[in-house]
Amino acid sequence: MDQISMELDTMERKFTKCFCIIQVSKGHILLLKKFKLFKQLLRKTKLQLCYILQEFICEIAYLFVLYGNDMLTVTLKLSTLYNKLLQMDVEFNLLKNSSSVCNNTCPYLLFPLKKISVTRLLQILSYHRAEYCCHKLIDCLLETYKMHENSEDDNSSDNSSLEIYMALTKHLSPPVEVNNTKKGKDYIANVDDSIGTFINLEELISYEETNVINLINATQQVAPAMLGKDGIKKIGTGIH
C-alpha cells in the first residue's frame, strides 16, 4: 500500500509538470496542434487512473476498522492524491471540449468522477459495516430477551419476538472467516479483544461513534484539506 501511494505521488507530480509544459497559447500552429493532442492523451490517461484509483479506495476504505490506523493513513493519502488529480481538470482547463468517458465498453466509466470527502468515506464505511452491525444488533436483542425471559409471565409475546429475531438472523450471511494461519489467528484475537460482545445497543453505538471520531482525527492530521476550507481552525497553538 505504501509503495502504491509513493508511486501515485510521483505520477501526480509528473502529470502536473507535463500539463504546465504544454499549457501554451502562442506559437507555431503545428506545435500548438501537437500540444493539444498530447494534452488530450494525457487527460485520457489521467482519467483512467482516476477511475481505477477511485474503485481501489472504495474497496479498502473500511479496512482501517480491522487493521488499524496504518491502513487509514494510506487510504487518506490515496484519497488526497485522487483529489489532486481531479483538480487538474480545473487548474489546467482540461474540461473544455472533453468527455468524462474513456472506455465505452465499461458502464462504470460513464459516471462523472467526484472528489472523495470525509463524508464519502463514512458512507463507504457504513455500507460495508451495515451487515456486521445487524449481527451485533440481533445479539443485543437476544441478550435483552434472555434477561427478561424468566421475569415475564406472558410467554406468547416473548416467543413471537424471539421468532422475529431468529428470522432476521436466518437471512444474514455468516461473518467473514479468516484463513487458518498464525496471522489469521492473531487477527481474530485482536478483533475479539477490541470488539468483544455487546450486551446492549448503547455499547454498539458507542463503538461505532469511536470509529468515526478516530477517522476524523486521523484526517485532521494526515489530510486536513479533505475536511474543507473551514474544517480546520487554529486556536492559539493547537488545531481544532
Side-chain angles (χ1 to χ4, degrees):
M1 293 292 185
D2 291 332
Q3 185 65 28
I4 292 175
S5 178
M6 289 187 293
E7 291 290 340
L8 284 171
D9 183 59
T10 302
M11 293 178 67
E12 186 270 332
R13 285 187 275 107
K14 288 183 177 180
F15 269 116
T16 302
K17 182 178 179 180
C18 290
F19 283 126
C20 288
I21 293 175
I22 63 177
Q23 192 77 2
V24 295
S25 58
K26 296 181 180 180
H28 194 276
I29 185 172
L30 182 59
L31 183 61
L32 294 178
K33 287 288 186 181
K34 287 185 177 181
F35 278 168
K36 183 178 180 180
L37 177 61
F38 292 149
K39 188 175 181 180
Q40 293 175 350
L41 292 175
L42 280 174
R43 182 184 182 275
K44 182 177 180 180
T45 302
K46 183 183 70 69
L47 183 62
Q48 292 172 332
L49 177 62
C50 286
Y51 275 114
I52 295 172
L53 185 56
Q54 177 183 239
E55 292 298 313
F56 184 67
I57 293 172
C58 291
E59 288 294 326
I60 68 171
Y62 74 101
L63 294 178
F64 85 92
V65 178
L66 304 177
Y67 297 103
N69 288 335
D70 290 340
M71 179 63 70
L72 177 58
T73 299
V74 173
T75 302
L76 292 173
K77 288 181 178 178
L78 293 177
S79 300
T80 302
L81 291 171
Y82 168 83
N83 290 338
K84 287 182 178 179
L85 290 172
L86 285 187
Q87 184 61 28
M88 290 182 188
D89 290 344
V90 177
E91 184 178 353
F92 298 105
N93 195 23
L94 304 179
L95 296 175
K96 187 177 181 181
N97 299 325
S98 299
S99 173
S100 61
V101 180
C102 59
N103 190 340
N104 291 330
T105 63
C106 183
Y108 294 104
L109 303 189
L110 298 176
F111 297 98
L113 292 170
K114 297 181 179 179
K115 286 188 175 183
I116 294 180
S117 61
V118 176
T119 302
R120 188 172 180 185
L121 290 179
L122 289 174
Q123 289 174 343
I124 296 172
L125 176 63
S126 62
Y127 172 78
H128 283 277
R129 289 186 60 77
E131 188 167 330
Y132 166 82
C133 290
C134 286
H135 281 285
K136 292 303 177 182
L137 175 60
I138 297 303
D139 291 341
C140 293
L141 294 175
L142 288 175
E143 288 294 333
T144 303
Y145 169 78
K146 292 176 183 178
M147 291 172 58
H148 298 280
E149 184 178 13
N150 297 326
S151 61
E152 294 290 340
D153 295 330
D154 187 7
N155 294 327
S156 60
S157 176
D158 290 338
N159 291 334
S160 63
S161 298
L162 181 61
E163 291 176 0
I164 295 174
Y165 302 154
M166 292 301 184
L168 287 172
T169 56
K170 180 180 179 181
H171 296 286
L172 290 174
S173 61
V176 179
E177 296 182 356
V178 181
N179 293 334
N180 189 19
T181 61
K182 184 178 184 303
K183 183 178 180 181
K185 292 178 181 178
D186 294 340
Y187 160 72
I188 293 175
N190 292 334
V191 172
D192 290 340
D193 292 340
S194 61
I195 297 178
T197 302
F198 298 104
I199 60 175
N200 57 59
L201 186 58
E202 286 75 15
E203 289 185 12
L204 177 60
I205 295 175
S206 176
Y207 177 76
E208 294 302 321
E209 288 178 346
T210 301
N211 290 333
V212 175
I213 293 174
N214 290 338
L215 187 149
I216 295 176
N217 288 337
T219 304
Q220 176 180 302
Q221 298 176 3
V222 179
M226 293 182 62
L227 295 174
K229 295 181 179 179
D230 299 326
I232 301 295
K233 295 182 178 180
K234 292 186 178 182
I235 300 179
T237 58
I239 298 179
H240 302 273

